[in-house]
Amino acid sequence: MNDRVVVAGAVYDGGRLLAARRSAPPELAGRWELPGGKLEPGESGEQALVRELREELGVETEPLERIPGEWPLKPGYVLRVWTARLVSGVPAPLQDHDELRWLGPGESDAVDWLDQDLPAVAEAMRRLPDGAPR
């Protein structure tokens, strides 16, 4: 049996990484994650990421590269993460989140990340591009 893929974006803008606080389900509410969602049939990971970030945050993004590895979520699901550049829009918590926060270099410990996101967040912070805020 193949696991269902959940995609997430390490969204970069101005040398910062976007973190999103879950509002649901109850067992995840209040913890932070890299935003994203489930891959739909016929979609590539990159296509799913662009769609999910548009739906969840109201922004347009450009996937850059996949962070190596995948991480188990609940049974039957695995997490795959891509770095992504914010192309347009201002992120807003439209679905599944109640707060967003931009984290600069050395600030990854400022939020309580979901356990499964920690390895990808660590790698995303290592890859954090330099850049002036837009």
Side-chain angles (χ1 to χ4, degrees):
M1 182 179 105
N2 290 337
D3 288 329
R4 182 116 188 248
V5 174
V6 175
V7 298
V11 179
Y12 297 133
D13 187 50
R16 303 168 301 164
L17 174 68
L18 185 64
R21 188 171 70 183
R22 296 284 313 196
S23 57
E27 63 272 14
L28 302 180
R31 307 262 325 262
W32 294 77
E33 69 177 357
L34 298 171
K38 295 177 187 76
L39 183 82
E40 297 296 336
E43 282 184 317
S44 70
E46 292 90 343
Q47 290 168 330
L49 182 64
V50 168
R51 177 185 53 76
E52 285 288 347
L53 295 176
R54 184 181 300 130
E55 291 172 2
E56 288 191 2
L57 306 175
V59 295
E60 294 301 320
T61 55
E62 175 190 5
L64 301 173
E65 61 183 329
R66 182 157 165 228
I67 292 178
E70 61 181 32
W71 298 273
L73 301 174
K74 62 186 178 183
Y77 291 84
V78 294
L79 176 67
R80 295 182 185 163
V81 178
W82 278 260
T83 60
R85 181 178 69 85
L86 182 63
V87 174
S88 66
V90 175
L94 303 177
Q95 290 182 11
D96 302 324
H97 302 104
D98 62 3
E99 186 177 338
L100 303 175
R101 188 179 299 177
W102 288 104
L103 303 174
E107 295 180 334
S108 63
D109 292 340
V111 299
D112 182 20
W113 293 101
L114 292 170
D115 295 342
Q116 64 267 20
D117 282 42
L118 287 171
V121 167
E123 182 59 29
M125 290 303 275
R126 280 193 286 278
R127 296 173 182 225
L128 194 65
D130 291 329
R134 292 192 312 153

